[in-house]
Amino acid sequence: MHMSEKGQVTIPHHIRKAMGLTPHVEVDIQMRGDEIIVRKSSKNQDSASSTEDKIERALLKARTAWTKNLTTEDVMRATRGWE
């Protein structure tokens, strides 16, 4: 892994997935001696990220609906969480 000219590094996919680091998730960065610690921030518990998570889950669920012959109502049910 290397650092870009802007000081950016990419967290590998398997680590992001294991830690639940999705786009727009806040992280905290700390120094401990010669180590850099990256943690998922407690700020992610707010309602905005919860809403984003709900939207993301609904879109992922709806994605499968687009590969089938479903009615508009079926797609609305999948995207809006109607049961």
Side-chain angles (χ1 to χ4, degrees):
M1 184 180 312
H2 71 278
M3 185 179 301
S4 74
E5 291 179 12
K6 293 183 178 183
Q8 299 168 325
V9 294
T10 301
I11 300 171
H13 180 263
H14 70 279
I15 295 173
R16 293 191 318 263
K17 186 174 180 179
M19 295 297 297
L21 299 176
T22 57
H24 310 292
V25 166
E26 294 281 331
V27 295
D28 294 326
I29 300 175
Q30 297 176 326
M31 277 182 26
R32 184 183 300 155
D34 63 348
E35 296 178 332
I36 299 171
I37 311 296
V38 180
R39 288 191 176 107
K40 194 173 183 178
S41 176
S42 60
K43 294 178 186 177
N44 294 306
Q45 302 304 319
D46 67 9
S47 61
S49 84
S50 176
T51 300
E52 288 177 11
D53 290 341
K54 289 177 186 174
I55 292 169
E56 185 174 351
R57 284 193 302 271
L59 289 173
L60 289 172
K61 186 176 177 183
R63 182 171 52 179
T64 59
W66 296 321
T67 62
K68 302 175 185 175
N69 293 325
L70 300 176
T71 66
T72 301
E73 186 175 335
D74 293 332
V75 174
M76 297 298 279
R77 184 174 285 117
T79 58
R80 294 191 176 170
W82 297 346
E83 295 302 326

